[in-house]
Amino acid sequence: MATNVDYGALNLEKTNALESAIAQFNSAADHLGIDQGIRDYLTKCKRELTVHFPVRKDDGTTDVYTGYRIHHNEARGPVKGGLRFHPDVDLDEVRALAMWMTWKCAVVNLPYGGAKGGVAVDPKTLSLRELETLTRRFATEISSLIGPAKDVPAPDMGTNPQIMAWIMDTYSMHHGYTVSGVVTGKPVSVGGSMGREEATGKGLFYVIQDTMKARNTPLEGRTVAVQGFGNVGSVVARYLAGAGAKVIGLTDVSGGIYNANGLDIEALWSYKKDRRPLTDANQGDEIGNSDLLELPVDILVPAAIEGQLRGDNADRVQAKIIVEGANGPTTPAADAIFNERGILVVPDIIANAGGVIVSYFEWVQDLQSFFWEHNEVDTKLHRLITTAYEAVVARSLQDKITLREAAMAVAVAKVVEAINIRGIYP
Ligand code: GLU
């Protein structure tokens, strides 16, 4: 299997996420018969802030970083979406991710619009002090946009609860009192919610369970490949293995591993916790990224980054079901091929919505200063994501469209309804 060992989890050829997001929107707009003015409005982002800011490094030199915070649409409420720290972050990527947040919040019925932000940086190259300094300076640079009533950031790739705590603290210092509801995904000790860290992976697991139930197929014994072993991939792999599924392939930034008899996810989980490369675990053959995406599995979970399944590799994908843990992992060209080949794609905006759902719960708890028990969070997450997913499946059957088209149709209709009911100001 060790062909084409392109170490690192990612297919590095850069695709334009914004083109994909706009194409997906246009196809929903066609289906819904949306007029040109609203299309023009929703294919742009309402507010876009680019900042360039200096950070003093440990060696006394100064580096300048570029960051973004972008609001796509706020018709349904304050805007919501993560902050990504990754070297490839750029304006178009953040725009696409902000658009996807609008649809994601709408499809699962959260009272939010969509936003996204990020800094073009590899956080692994920074010391802890440098990371804190960069985070606090970036939070200050975007502080005119964020706030619990208007824009609530959260973790995404390369950011974590500690970084959210620094942002909360920075914003609170500016205001002179603690404002815990300004970000979600915080540690529980400073206003975070029980269950937030595992929420995206857990939501994904619930959606997979529902998909298998609808197909009358038990999860037990099904084979799975997971691209990415971060906050999403590692959690869903663990739940799937716990339910008796066989995770036979995995990749993360350090490389990929394959074992036809199933990988020991609990052992790999401790490798991840100790920040050791998965390939050191000696659990199977090393595989490359393209090997992983093309494994003959029942379920493929791309849980890394956008643009992984494209027109140039979709023909070789052998999975029966693809469940999108990442945002935008499948391009429209790949979607068309999967549809033709009868491969079911459960789209990102519903499949990975567990994270923002529990972010919403966290924000509600912060605003009320009243905190819920873990099982209450979990029960509500399960109910919310399942209900939303059932509505998407029903729409897809009713209109004879793919799950992505159905999810987008449901979401876009809700946003357009909010725009129309509010009216165009003034
Ligand atoms: N970054 C996550 C996402 O893409 C979570 C966003 C949030 O919780 O606001 O859905």
Side-chain angles (χ1 to χ4, degrees):
M1 282 301 290
T3 55
N4 188 19
V5 182
D6 48 345
Y7 285 98
L10 308 176
N11 204 335
L12 290 174
E13 186 193 310
K14 190 113 167 132
T15 53
N16 191 323
L18 184 60
E19 274 171 23
S20 293
I22 290 176
Q24 290 165 357
F25 167 76
N26 278 330
S27 121
D30 287 344
H31 186 71
L32 296 168
I34 302 233
D35 70 59
Q36 193 57 44
I38 298 292
R39 280 177 193 244
D40 292 346
Y41 184 38
L42 288 173
T43 44
K44 297 204 169 48
C45 292
K46 170 175 183 144
R47 214 175 265 128
E48 305 185 334
L49 177 65
T50 300
V51 293
H52 305 287
F53 58 96
V55 173
R56 187 80 76 204
K57 305 298 284 292
D58 290 344
D59 65 5
T61 59
T62 303
D63 275 355
V64 176
Y65 293 90
T66 301
Y68 310 90
R69 185 68 185 169
I70 292 183
H71 297 176
H72 171 240
N73 181 274
E74 55 189 355
R76 288 175 46 84
V79 292
K80 190 85 192 77
L83 293 173
R84 180 172 287 198
F85 287 1
H86 189 276
D88 290 342
V89 164
D90 65 23
L91 197 51
D92 275 356
E93 181 188 49
V94 182
R95 286 173 173 146
L97 292 163
M99 285 182 186
W100 284 324
M101 285 310 302
T102 301
W103 315 133
K104 192 186 301 189
C105 292
V107 79
V108 295
N109 253 324
L110 305 181
Y112 286 138
K116 202 80 175 196
V119 178
V121 60
D122 180 355
K124 287 193 293 295
T125 62
L126 304 179
S127 70
L128 193 65
R129 189 207 63 82
E130 289 167 343
L131 184 62
E132 177 173 351
T133 307
L134 177 138
T135 300
R136 288 184 181 278
R137 178 63 187 247
F138 176 58
T140 303
E141 296 290 343
I142 64 168
S143 62
S144 58
L145 291 192
I146 64 176
K150 49 184 187 172
D151 173 2
V152 186
D156 196 78
M157 272 177 67
T159 56
N160 58 29
Q162 172 63 76
I163 290 174
M164 298 305 117
W166 288 328
I167 295 173
M168 184 277 263
D169 184 70
T170 303
Y171 187 89
S172 300
M173 289 302 113
H174 294 167
H175 286 75
Y177 54 91
T178 298
V179 188
S180 54
V182 64
V183 281
T184 59
K186 301 177 295 296
V188 169
S189 54
V190 290
S193 176
M194 303 297 278
R196 174 61 185 85
E197 265 204 283
E198 79 254 23
T200 312
K202 201 166 206 178
L204 214 56
F205 175 66
Y206 290 145
V207 165
I208 294 171
Q209 271 186 324
D210 280 358
T211 308
M212 302 314 276
K213 219 186 288 162
R215 302 191 145 207
N216 267 325
T217 314
L219 245 182
E220 202 171 348
R222 298 285 78 74
T223 53
V224 183
V226 182
Q227 183 196 36
F229 204 59
N231 182 43
V232 182
S234 65
V235 174
V236 74
R238 218 171 170 204
Y239 279 112
L240 286 168
K246 241 175 19 176
V247 182
I248 62 169
L250 259 186
T251 51
D252 78 348
V253 278
S254 67
I257 45 176
Y258 167 79
N259 188 329
N261 298 318
L263 298 160
D264 178 352
I265 302 298
E266 287 307 311
L268 294 172
W269 180 268
S270 58
Y271 268 77
K272 173 184 151 67
K273 269 204 334 227
D274 299 342
R275 294 171 190 281
R276 295 179 62 191
L278 299 186
T279 42
D280 280 9
N282 274 331
Q283 279 205 27
D285 299 333
E286 291 192 15
I287 53 168
N289 188 57
S290 37
D291 298 323
L292 180 104
L293 296 175
E294 295 163 22
L295 282 176
V297 284
D298 295 303
I299 305 168
L300 171 64
V301 183
I305 202 166
E306 57 273 9
Q308 297 301 294
L309 300 165
R310 302 184 304 249
D312 61 13
N313 63 2
D315 276 327
R316 295 192 300 276
V317 169
Q318 298 181 68
K320 298 190 183 80
I321 300 172
I322 298 168
V323 187
E324 297 184 329
N327 293 314
T330 310
T331 65
D335 257 338
I337 294 169
F338 293 146
N339 189 28
E340 198 154 293
R341 295 182 52 211
I343 297 174
L344 182 77
V345 179
V346 185
D348 46 8
I349 60 171
I350 181 80
N352 72 31
V356 74
I357 289 173
V358 177
S359 273
Y360 168 58
F361 297 159
E362 178 173 335
W363 178 74
V364 167
Q365 292 170 79
D366 288 338
L367 295 183
Q368 301 183 342
S369 296
F370 181 71
F371 290 86
W372 311 346
E373 284 171 17
H374 202 154
N375 64 356
E376 191 176 350
V377 171
D378 196 35
T379 309
K380 286 190 160 79
L381 163 64
H382 197 169
R383 194 166 53 224
L384 226 150
I385 200 160
T386 304
T387 309
Y389 185 40
E390 280 166 5
V392 167
V393 172
R395 181 67 177 254
S396 126
L397 294 172
Q398 183 197 306
D399 292 7
K400 299 191 174 44
I401 52 179
T402 65
L403 287 179
R404 184 176 329 274
E405 289 162 341
M408 285 295 291
V410 169
V412 172
K414 284 186 190 166
V415 174
V416 171
E417 185 190 352
I419 293 171
N420 287 334
I421 289 178
R422 289 179 64 155
I424 305 282
Y425 176 85

